[in-house]
Amino acid sequence: MSEWFETLPGLYGEVWKQLAQGAARKNVAAQQPTLSTISPDGWPESRTVVLRSADRSKSRLDAFTDVRSDKMASLASHPRAALHFWDAERALQVRIQATVAVCTGTSVANDWHALPDAARLSYGIAPPPGQALSDALDYVKTPDQSRFCMLQLTVVHIDAVHLGKDHRRAIFTAANGWSGMWVSP
């Protein structure tokens, strides 16, 4: 029997297994991937997000954010993003490209109500994220559902690299039905 990283289906399956485990909030690298966007003025921006759901059958990932965060202006200008995570235990690097839809209001009400009270505090900081403060702690946290939104990322491209004894790299795209192809690492 071959190892998961020796076949295209095995590697693709492991990527989605890690994403699903990350969304289930287990202590895995995919739980907090780096999300990168392009700012309205063309600069790359990266930040850590918490993966909230991963649906392989829909090629979709979800993350939550504050509607007043900088990434929202970036996504309004360029509704695409990249996600990256590194799993040292598996020697696996995953880079994902996705289109992004922003969901707010009643469409995310169930997600809001499912959040623990402490997590809701992240959506209602005043002044808004990125605003200047006179002191490092000169802000107030008050939960505000109107500031809560979900980023629905529709995955279109996955670049997976296994850096074991023999390095292996594969590209999987929606355009080729996720069948994948090996590429030089």
Side-chain angles (χ1 to χ4, degrees):
M1 186 166 126
S2 61
E3 295 281 351
W4 59 265
F5 51 80
E6 293 177 334
T7 68
L8 289 168
L11 183 54
Y12 183 72
E14 185 66 21
V15 167
W16 278 101
K17 175 182 173 187
Q18 293 308 307
L19 290 167
Q21 287 181 354
R25 302 173 89 23
K26 299 202 187 320
N27 190 19
V28 297
Q31 179 186 9
Q32 296 179 332
T34 301
L35 175 78
S36 299
T37 56
I38 300 295
S39 71
D41 58 355
W43 286 96
E45 301 174 317
S46 296
R47 78 284 286 157
T48 301
V49 296
V50 176
L51 193 60
R52 299 297 182 163
S53 68
D55 187 331
R56 179 178 174 170
S57 67
K58 294 180 182 176
S59 301
R60 197 175 103 195
L61 306 169
D62 295 334
F64 300 155
T65 194
D66 187 309
V67 297
R68 297 191 299 176
S69 67
D70 291 342
K71 71 180 83 55
M72 297 306 290
S74 299
L75 291 168
S77 294
H78 309 284
R80 293 174 298 237
L83 282 171
H84 170 270
F85 72 89
W86 164 249
D87 185 329
E89 183 180 325
R90 286 170 186 70
L92 177 64
Q93 173 184 263
V94 177
R95 296 183 306 153
I96 295 171
Q97 294 174 341
T99 59
V100 183
V102 177
C103 302
T104 60
T106 57
S107 68
V108 295
N110 289 340
D111 298 293
W112 171 259
H113 293 297
L115 283 175
D117 289 340
R120 290 183 192 176
L121 288 172
S122 296
Y123 312 100
I125 295 173
Q131 295 292 311
L133 300 174
S134 59
D135 181 66
L137 300 178
D138 194 17
Y139 61 87
V140 177
K141 289 182 163 189
T142 305
D144 182 352
Q145 184 177 349
S146 71
R147 301 260 311 274
F148 173 75
C149 73
M150 178 189 302
L151 304 178
Q152 289 185 340
L153 296 99
T154 300
V155 178
V156 297
H157 180 99
I158 297 173
D159 183 326
V161 181
H162 180 256
L163 296 173
K165 180 182 172 205
D166 296 313
H167 295 186
R168 291 175 172 86
R169 180 178 175 197
I171 302 291
F172 303 92
T173 65
N176 76 3
W178 301 112
S179 61
M181 68 178 186
W182 294 113
V183 296
S184 178

